[in-house]
Each structure stands twice: as structure tokens, then as C-alpha cells.
Amino acid sequence: MKTLSTILLTALSVVLILGCELKEEEPKGVIPEGHLNAMKKAENVEGLLQDANKKQLEEIDAASH
């Protein structure tokens, strides 16, 4: 029984080690194109929100004078 558990534990260890070695990782510093596009869109939206905020503040200032 002890031999069987040792064999199963060894086999499980080998499978886990092989599973970790087989996966490929993306190179560091590479941002997928879809993420870059999303960041550009977010920057555009941020600019629009800042412009709208500035316009509202100007309208409030004009109305208070």
C-alpha cells in the first residue's frame, strides 16, 4: 500500500511539473493591440469629459455674474 501511494505521488508530481513547463508565456512589455485600442478610446472619453466639465463650469460662472 505504501508503494502504491509513493508511485501515485511521484506520478502526480511529474504531471504537475510537466504541466507548468508546457505553457508559453507572453514576452514582458508586449501589450495586445486590443488593449492599446481600449486605452486610446478611454483617453478620448476622458478628454470629452474634461471638456464638458470645463464648459459647465464656465456656464455656471457666467450665470452667477
Side-chain angles (χ1 to χ4, degrees), residues 1 6 16 31 34 40 64:
M1 189 65 155
T6 304
L16 289 174
I31 301 174
K40 288 177 185 175
S64 65

PDB file of all heavy atoms in Angstrom, residues 1 6 16 31 34 40 64:
ATOM      1  N   MET A   1       0.821  -1.189   0.000  1.00  0.00           N
ATOM      2  CA  MET A   1       0.000   0.000   0.000  1.00  0.00           C
ATOM      3  C   MET A   1       0.869   1.258   0.000  1.00  0.00           C
ATOM      4  O   MET A   1       0.541   2.229  -0.655  1.00  0.00           O
ATOM      5  CB  MET A   1      -0.932  -0.052   1.220  1.00  0.00           C
ATOM      6  CG  MET A   1      -1.968   1.014   1.207  1.00  0.00           C
ATOM      7  SD  MET A   1      -3.062   0.715  -0.195  1.00  0.00           S
ATOM      8  CE  MET A   1      -4.492   1.511   0.350  1.00  0.00           C
ATOM      9  N   THR A   6       3.293   5.946  -2.978  1.00  0.00           N
ATOM     10  CA  THR A   6       4.526   6.588  -3.434  1.00  0.00           C
ATOM     11  C   THR A   6       4.522   6.738  -4.951  1.00  0.00           C
ATOM     12  O   THR A   6       4.901   7.789  -5.486  1.00  0.00           O
ATOM     13  CB  THR A   6       5.760   5.769  -2.991  1.00  0.00           C
ATOM     14  OG1 THR A   6       5.722   5.600  -1.575  1.00  0.00           O
ATOM     15  CG2 THR A   6       7.039   6.449  -3.389  1.00  0.00           C
ATOM     16  N   LEU A  16       2.365  17.528 -12.682  1.00  0.00           N
ATOM     17  CA  LEU A  16       2.309  18.944 -12.326  1.00  0.00           C
ATOM     18  C   LEU A  16       3.514  19.709 -12.863  1.00  0.00           C
ATOM     19  O   LEU A  16       3.388  20.816 -13.379  1.00  0.00           O
ATOM     20  CB  LEU A  16       2.216  19.107 -10.811  1.00  0.00           C
ATOM     21  CG  LEU A  16       0.888  18.691 -10.177  1.00  0.00           C
ATOM     22  CD1 LEU A  16       0.969  18.774  -8.655  1.00  0.00           C
ATOM     23  CD2 LEU A  16      -0.250  19.548 -10.695  1.00  0.00           C
ATOM     24  N   ILE A  31       2.056  44.673 -25.156  1.00  0.00           N
ATOM     25  CA  ILE A  31       0.646  44.920 -24.844  1.00  0.00           C
ATOM     26  C   ILE A  31      -0.167  44.560 -26.082  1.00  0.00           C
ATOM     27  O   ILE A  31       0.116  45.049 -27.181  1.00  0.00           O
ATOM     28  CB  ILE A  31       0.423  46.398 -24.472  1.00  0.00           C
ATOM     29  CG1 ILE A  31       1.277  46.762 -23.263  1.00  0.00           C
ATOM     30  CG2 ILE A  31      -1.053  46.655 -24.192  1.00  0.00           C
ATOM     31  CD1 ILE A  31       1.240  48.227 -22.914  1.00  0.00           C
ATOM     32  N   GLY A  34      -5.616  45.025 -28.886  1.00  0.00           N
ATOM     33  CA  GLY A  34      -6.950  45.346 -28.354  1.00  0.00           C
ATOM     34  C   GLY A  34      -6.876  46.199 -27.098  1.00  0.00           C
ATOM     35  O   GLY A  34      -7.681  47.107 -26.904  1.00  0.00           O
ATOM     36  N   LYS A  40      -6.676  53.972 -25.865  1.00  0.00           N
ATOM     37  CA  LYS A  40      -6.844  55.180 -26.672  1.00  0.00           C
ATOM     38  C   LYS A  40      -8.275  55.700 -26.588  1.00  0.00           C
ATOM     39  O   LYS A  40      -8.510  56.902 -26.471  1.00  0.00           O
ATOM     40  CB  LYS A  40      -6.471  54.904 -28.130  1.00  0.00           C
ATOM     41  CG  LYS A  40      -4.987  54.726 -28.343  1.00  0.00           C
ATOM     42  CD  LYS A  40      -4.665  54.387 -29.795  1.00  0.00           C
ATOM     43  CE  LYS A  40      -3.192  54.089 -29.964  1.00  0.00           C
ATOM     44  NZ  LYS A  40      -2.880  53.645 -31.331  1.00  0.00           N
ATOM     45  N   SER A  64     -23.657  83.133 -12.739  1.00  0.00           N
ATOM     46  CA  SER A  64     -23.577  83.745 -11.408  1.00  0.00           C
ATOM     47  C   SER A  64     -23.176  85.207 -11.469  1.00  0.00           C
ATOM     48  O   SER A  64     -23.321  85.934 -10.499  1.00  0.00           O
ATOM     49  CB  SER A  64     -22.582  82.975 -10.534  1.00  0.00           C
ATOM     50  OG  SER A  64     -21.267  83.097 -11.062  1.00  0.00           O
TER      51      SER A  64
END
